[in-house]
Amino acid sequence: MVRAIVGANWGDEGKGKITDMLAEESDIIIRFQGGSNAGHTIINDYGKFALHLLPSGVFYDHTTSIIGNGVALNIPYLFNEIKGLEERGVPTPKILVSDRAQILMPYHVDFDAFEEERLGGKAFGSTKSGIAPFYSDKYAKIGFQVSELFDEAALREKVERVVAYKNIILEHVYHKPLMDVEEVFNTLISYREMVEPYVADVSLYLDKAIKEGKTILLEGQLGSLKDPDHGIYPMVTSSSTLAAYGAIGAGIPPYEIKDIVTVVKAYSSAVGAGAFVSEIFGEEADELRKRGGDGGEFGATTGRPRRMGWFDAVASRYGCRIQGATEVALTVLDVLGYLDEIPMCVGYEIDGEVIKDFPVTYKLEKAKPVLKKFKGWKTDIRGIKNYDELPVECREYIEAIEEELGVPITMVSNGPKRHDIIKRVSKLSK
Ligand code: GDP
């Protein structure tokens, strides 16, 4: 059985925690897109970890963790992440890296920074992890696949071609020092040594696993609204964040993905530039940011303060639809326990008209939030295990969200720890 865990919003929904929790009863966990530009925060018996490249299942000894072909593979980063776990007493995880994954190169990181510098005030707010230059090269067919590391003669020839092309851009567009063929080649050879123990034909491995009835999790990074096709283009990431892409980025048939657990945040947060209709500012935002997540809403990779907002029903309903959500995990609900009243964005007003369906970007830029207020519950709901024990105002808020989404909320997360979860039977469940 293949199950995807993906985000409905702008990322940072708490997918890591849900994956970590569901990984307990799974055999294989796969990253299928993105790179080390976003992070998952996981708290377990070994401590608190921010994982950037490894899937969230690495803490169990019964699971296999896979980096799928769709990932932007930063090899030294992966190597250090594995070492970091071992240093903190986590048993050496079983890891496979797809031989079809492509390699994120140091020059991708440089080009990311050079482009942000060139754009100046009009920059995208990239995390400068090299993700956009990496995927550009992949689709321009000048990227390096892991498998190419094992054919040295062809590799050298390709390095020469790629470096010649990159140097034209470095010289004439960015006015930066040129790259050296030998250096790039040697970097790739050193990467081969690091990655070799993990390299596998992942789609073949998964084909067998599916036939044997193994439980497989696809772990998404970021969320629907950062998808390059269906998100707030161009303020998006460079690989698809949707469950559907899990089939491609892992190498499995699309019809094998039976369950799409879509993680929805009980309020909104976003990083980077772009329209954010339910955004709040000033003290109101500072308070929510300070109380949000586990120890505040600050980027797991960059430490940047996240932009904050109220729950956006328009964006989240769209986010669930475009994921093909079969069930929803509603997270960070405990954070809202301090509020007398909880506003929710239930519509967008654009040029005097109220809409309920998430629009394309130029319309989104003009949208003003239509807010509906809910009564706060004013208590700490952490530690509660049964849905019926939640305060009535809290259940009303959850049920209002479920009605807006039209997807059963089967899990409510009321704290950052693995077992801070309330399972729920929804009347929408078939
Ligand atoms: P991801 O990228 O979707 O995995 O999200 P992040 O890990 O970046 O952000 C989620 C943050 O919220 C982390 O700090 C988690 O430990 C924390 N978190 C997850 N679920 C909950 C929850 O239900 N309540 C609280 N208070 N924090 C949570």
Side-chain angles (χ1 to χ4, degrees):
M1 207 278 281
V2 184
R3 170 188 267 169
I5 299 158
V6 287
N9 304 123
W10 297 263
D12 307 314
E13 295 93 348
K15 295 175 294 294
K17 176 201 152 160
I18 303 295
T19 308
D20 185 47
M21 188 190 93
L22 295 175
E24 204 164 0
E25 51 208 61
S26 304
D27 303 301
I28 298 166
I29 299 98
I30 311 167
R31 281 281 313 270
F32 63 90
Q33 46 86 224
S36 56
N37 51 327
H40 291 304
T41 315
I42 293 163
I43 302 165
N44 57 29
D45 300 341
Y46 299 105
K48 182 171 176 175
F49 295 86
L51 294 181
H52 299 281
L53 208 44
L54 285 170
S56 304
V58 288
F59 298 101
Y60 299 102
D61 34 18
H62 67 277
T63 57
T64 300
S65 301
I66 296 184
I67 308 285
N69 56 278
V71 170
L73 175 66
N74 184 330
I75 292 176
Y77 208 114
L78 175 72
F79 196 72
N80 286 331
E81 208 159 82
I82 297 170
K83 245 186 20 208
L85 293 183
E86 287 167 353
E87 278 165 15
R88 289 177 64 188
V90 180
T92 305
K94 185 152 185 268
I95 294 165
L96 300 179
V97 174
S98 169
D99 54 5
R100 292 179 183 274
Q102 294 213 3
I103 303 163
L104 190 133
M105 299 294 293
Y107 58 75
H108 290 135
V109 180
D110 295 340
F111 274 76
D112 210 346
F114 297 160
E115 184 59 12
E116 288 278 301
E117 189 183 315
R118 192 186 69 84
L119 288 169
K122 293 202 162 62
F124 282 77
S126 162
T127 57
K128 299 194 185 80
S129 310
I131 302 298
F134 165 87
Y135 282 106
S136 304
D137 280 3
K138 175 173 174 176
Y139 293 108
K141 293 165 284 190
I142 52 169
F144 292 97
Q145 202 174 70
V146 167
S147 66
E148 290 176 277
L149 298 175
F150 299 91
D151 182 350
E152 265 190 43
L155 183 67
R156 183 178 289 275
E157 211 178 289
K158 186 163 170 186
V159 169
E160 281 170 12
R161 245 183 320 123
V162 171
V163 168
Y165 167 71
K166 294 279 172 199
N167 278 345
I168 296 170
I169 301 168
L170 283 171
E171 185 174 353
H172 298 288
V173 179
Y174 298 124
H175 314 295
K176 297 286 180 189
L178 303 189
M179 298 195 307
D180 176 58
V181 171
E182 216 45 44
E183 197 184 318
V184 174
F185 181 76
N186 290 338
T187 300
L188 284 163
I189 296 301
S190 71
Y191 286 0
R192 184 177 68 192
E193 280 154 30
M194 292 182 203
V195 81
E196 198 164 4
Y198 309 109
V199 177
D201 182 342
V202 162
S203 71
L204 183 66
Y205 178 88
L206 292 175
D207 182 57
K208 281 195 199 119
I210 290 170
K211 285 178 180 142
E212 287 165 8
K214 293 273 193 315
T215 305
I216 298 168
L217 293 184
L218 297 169
E219 180 181 25
Q221 183 207 39
L222 296 169
S224 300
L225 305 168
K226 292 284 187 182
D227 183 73
D229 285 79
H230 296 283
I232 53 170
Y233 189 83
M235 300 302 179
V236 294
T237 192
S238 302
S239 68
S240 177
T241 57
L242 303 182
Y245 190 75
I248 297 161
I252 59 168
Y255 54 77
E256 293 294 349
I257 306 172
K258 307 289 185 208
D259 186 15
I260 300 171
V261 180
T262 305
V263 186
V264 173
K265 212 162 166 159
Y267 53 86
S268 300
S269 72
V271 287
F276 183 10
V277 179
S278 68
E279 186 166 13
I280 54 175
F281 303 91
E283 267 174 44
E284 199 178 35
D286 290 343
E287 186 72 23
L288 184 56
R289 184 180 302 110
K290 195 176 78 196
R291 293 171 176 272
D294 179 44
E297 291 281 358
F298 298 91
T301 306
T302 57
R304 288 190 289 194
R306 292 177 181 148
R307 297 165 69 192
M308 305 304 297
W310 302 124
F311 178 78
D312 183 335
V314 178
S316 302
R317 178 169 53 249
Y318 172 76
C320 285
R321 168 162 68 82
I322 217 73
Q323 288 289 7
T326 55
E327 56 180 306
V328 161
L330 184 68
T331 56
V332 293
L333 192 68
D334 53 303
V335 168
L336 300 179
Y338 72 100
L339 291 158
D340 294 320
E341 274 186 329
I342 307 176
M344 183 190 295
C345 174
V346 293
Y348 290 172
E349 192 190 315
I350 302 175
D351 297 332
E353 196 193 334
V354 174
I355 61 163
K356 295 281 242 174
D357 292 313
F358 194 75
V360 291
T361 308
Y362 83 92
K363 290 184 182 163
L364 192 66
E365 303 280 2
K366 296 196 274 184
K368 295 192 179 61
V370 178
L371 296 176
K372 183 173 167 181
K373 287 192 172 149
F374 288 80
K375 205 160 174 284
W377 46 89
K378 300 288 284 177
T379 51
D380 185 1
I381 60 164
R382 282 200 195 181
I384 294 179
K385 296 281 173 206
N386 297 312
Y387 187 72
D388 296 337
E389 285 163 30
L390 286 171
V392 60
E393 296 85 358
C394 183
R395 279 180 279 137
E396 276 167 9
Y397 184 71
I398 296 166
E399 284 157 34
I401 290 178
E402 182 176 76
E403 203 176 315
E404 289 284 350
L405 299 179
V407 180
I409 296 177
T410 57
M411 287 174 254
V412 174
S413 175
N414 59 336
K417 299 223 175 74
R418 191 183 277 174
H419 296 292
D420 291 333
I421 198 92
I422 301 170
K423 299 260 172 76
R424 172 174 180 268
V425 181
S426 161
K427 62 179 194 292
L428 295 184
S429 299
K430 280 178 223 104

